[in-house]
Amino acid sequence: MSVENEYRLRFRDAMASLSAAVNIITTDGPAGRCGMTATAVCSVTDTPPTLMVCINHNSAMNPVFQENGHLCVNILNHEQELMARHFAGMTGVSMEERFNWNIWKTGVLRQPLLQETLANLEGCIKQVQEVGTHYVYLVEIKQIMVREEGHGLIYFKRSFHPVMDKTAITAA
């Protein structure tokens, strides 16, 4: 194994130790409707509210996101691991089937919003930059819906894990 390849694998192992919220990124528009599970999502600024979403440039969904120009970041709760698996392509459920379930609403920007999530952030793609193996999307958020109940879902050490809200547990 080359030194470069070994270094890349060590970096990936290190990143597996970085807990990350689990999200389903969705889009709908002239290029079609699709969605994917992603953990490479983070806030950039609150003025204007902007998120960064990173997607591997080999993903067939990039042209759809880019042509549609809008997307929704659906932040999953701890009970939505199966949805994360579906949208990560781990279950064999087709894209069409995923969107046919009665668990979707349409947002103000006409994007698919998954119900019962911790939050839905609908926005416009303002910039796309290629960095290494990924496209980095800067998304200006135009609509925010936050649900007060629920616990988090993270990806850590290559597995899904629930994250419990300590105040909710104490109150119970």
Side-chain angles (χ1 to χ4, degrees):
M1 178 182 302
S2 72
V3 173
E4 182 180 303
N5 206 27
E6 183 178 331
Y7 198 67
R8 182 181 64 80
L9 293 175
R10 285 181 49 134
F11 180 78
R12 292 181 71 157
D13 287 343
M15 291 302 96
S17 298
L18 182 63
S19 303
V22 181
N23 309 278
I24 293 177
I25 314 301
T26 55
T27 188
D28 196 358
R33 181 174 54 186
C34 70
M36 62 181 293
T37 300
T39 55
V41 175
C42 72
S43 63
V44 175
T45 181
D46 64 357
T47 309
T50 303
L51 292 176
M52 177 180 70
V53 178
C54 301
I55 302 173
N56 189 296
H57 66 73
N58 290 328
S59 172
M61 293 180 216
N62 280 305
V64 181
F65 283 111
Q66 291 174 23
E67 186 177 332
N68 287 346
H70 295 89
L71 60 76
C72 182
V73 174
N74 300 279
I75 303 173
L76 302 188
N77 74 50
H78 73 292
E79 295 177 328
Q80 293 176 312
E81 179 181 335
L82 183 56
M83 287 301 292
R85 290 180 179 282
H86 290 321
F87 278 86
M90 302 168 107
T91 63
V93 174
S94 72
M95 190 66 69
E96 185 177 335
E97 287 178 88
R98 298 172 200 172
F99 284 106
N100 281 339
W101 296 319
N102 191 26
I103 53 175
W104 297 97
K105 289 187 177 182
T106 301
V108 295
L109 297 179
R110 311 296 305 154
Q111 300 308 294
L113 278 61
L114 181 60
Q115 296 180 62
E116 304 299 318
T117 58
L118 296 178
N120 309 93
L121 298 108
E122 200 177 6
C124 304
I125 299 169
K126 291 296 184 179
Q127 185 178 347
V128 181
Q129 185 173 356
E130 191 168 0
V131 178
T133 59
H134 283 66
Y135 285 114
V136 177
Y137 291 79
L138 294 179
V139 182
E140 187 174 326
I141 303 304
K142 300 295 187 182
Q143 177 72 21
I144 302 169
M145 295 175 18
V146 179
R147 190 168 156 245
E148 296 301 320
E149 325 64 66
H151 302 288
L153 181 65
I154 63 167
Y155 199 69
F156 173 70
K157 296 284 188 181
R158 297 181 175 92
S159 295
F160 295 99
H161 302 274
V163 175
M164 298 301 152
D165 178 359
K166 194 173 185 177
T167 58
I169 295 169
T170 307

